[in-house]
């Protein structure tokens, strides 16, 4: 039976096994497709997300849903005095991340993230473990967005930040037309040509359309216990970086 990722009801419902299977299949061309889909801008967006994390000196940072490790590596480079942990549900993604980490060490990089397998909806860490938590293009793939943020808040120390980099629905006008053409037609075509997997990349626009708007996501973050929430949009409004802060010891109680 052929793979029907985009048309599968359990995939659209963010079934963990199907999500993991889809990402395992596209790992070999995952990084290249990211560059092509974003015209190389994903690297800039990751750097901005890393800057927004602003962890305490000497602290530990978690990059949840780390994939092949690009945001975790960006955090390591931006904060050499911090320890970075990358977590992902996909074994195949973590294998690729470890391979990239080994290649970096051979090129002379002194520090590298530590990669572990785990579920964003049930993080395998104690409360208040991290100075900051980031998630890049991962929240959109979970079945319970609020629970994901509650978990990130739980493991972040008071005063620390949670940073979310994610594709987001667009409004009207030129932006909507562009993303309908690019994400709805060009990206699946690229997936077919480069990775031999058009339907896996058709899942991307499908998942974006059903994802909360930037305002709705900010509200979810607030209900998860974050404060001082702000966001900034990029890529003709198709990508957003949200930042929220965990209340300090003297802050207001979490909702």
């Amino acid at each position: 039976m052929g793979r029907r990722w985009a048309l599968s009801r359990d995939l659209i419902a963010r079934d963990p096994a199907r999500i993991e299977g889809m990402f395992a299949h596209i790992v070999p061309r995952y990084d290249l497709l990211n560059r092509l889909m974003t015209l190389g801008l994903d690297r800039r967006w990751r750097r901005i997300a890393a800057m927004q994390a602003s962890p305490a000196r000497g602290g530990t940072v978690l990059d949840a849903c780390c994939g092949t490790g690009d945001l975790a590596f960006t955090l390591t480079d931006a904060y050499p005095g911090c320890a970075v942990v990358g977590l992902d549900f996909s074994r195949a993604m973590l294998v690729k991340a470890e391979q990239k980490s080994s290649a970096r060490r051979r090129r002379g990089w002194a520090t590298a993230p530590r990669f572990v397998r785990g579920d964003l909806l049930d993080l395998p860490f104690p409360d208040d473990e991290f100075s900051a938590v980031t998630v890049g293009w991962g929240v959109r793939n979970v079945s319970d967005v609020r629970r994901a943020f509650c978990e990130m808040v739980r493991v972040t120390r008071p005063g620390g930040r949670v940073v979310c980099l994610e594709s987001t629905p667009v409004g009207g006008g030129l932006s909507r037309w562009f993303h309908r053409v690019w994400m709805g037609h060009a990206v699946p075509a690229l997936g077919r040509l480069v990775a031999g997997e058009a339907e896996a990349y058709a899942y991307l626009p499908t998942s974006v359309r059903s994802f909360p708007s930037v305002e709705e996501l900010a509200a979810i973050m607030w209900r998860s216990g974050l404060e001082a929430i702000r966001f900034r949009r990029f890529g003709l409004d198709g990508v957003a970086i949200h930042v929220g802060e965990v209340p300090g010891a003297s802050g207001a109680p979490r909702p």
Side-chain angles (χ1 to χ4, degrees), residues 58 63-64 82 96 107 181:
D63 180 36
C82 292
K96 182 67 173 180
R107 294 196 299 269
V181 173

Side-chain angles (χ1 to χ4, degrees), residues 24-40:
H25 187 74
I26 63 176
V27 162
R29 294 290 183 268
Y30 180 78
D31 291 338
L32 175 59
L33 262 297
N34 282 345
R35 303 292 101 76
L36 294 174
M37 285 190 302
T38 65
L39 305 178

Side-chain angles (χ1 to χ4, degrees), residues 134-156:
T134 64
V135 57
W137 288 292
V139 172
R140 183 172 35 80
N141 298 315
V142 303
S143 59
D144 190 333
V145 175
R146 182 179 177 185
R147 180 175 172 181
F149 277 103
C150 285
E151 276 294 278
M152 289 187 279
V153 169
R154 179 183 66 79
V155 301
T156 305

Side-chain angles (χ1 to χ4, degrees), residues 54-62 79-85 129-132 157:
S54 190
R57 185 183 299 273
T60 305
V61 183
L62 172 66
Y79 305 104
C82 292
V84 177
V85 178
E129 176 77 1
F130 299 99
S131 296
R157 295 172 185 169

Side-chain angles (χ1 to χ4, degrees), residues 60-125:
T60 305
V61 183
L62 172 66
D63 180 36
C65 301
C66 66
T68 62
D70 280 351
L71 182 50
F73 294 130
T74 303
L75 288 161
T76 299
D77 297 342
Y79 305 104
C82 292
V84 177
V85 178
L87 172 141
D88 203 274
F89 188 73
S90 167
R91 290 185 177 89
M93 287 283 181
L94 292 174
V95 168
K96 182 67 173 180
E98 291 284 7
Q99 291 171 349
K100 291 164 67 174
S101 186
S102 296
R104 281 168 55 94
R105 284 193 290 267
R106 289 194 297 271
R107 294 196 299 269
W109 292 89
T111 57
R114 176 171 65 93
F115 292 106
V116 299
R117 187 169 185 264
D119 188 348
L120 178 57
L121 298 182
D122 187 16
L123 291 173
F125 307 109

Side-chain angles (χ1 to χ4, degrees), residues 172-189:
L174 177 62
S175 294
R176 184 173 184 177
W177 175 86
F178 173 81
H179 286 287
R180 182 181 298 162
V181 173
W182 182 250
M183 300 298 291
H185 301 283
V187 167

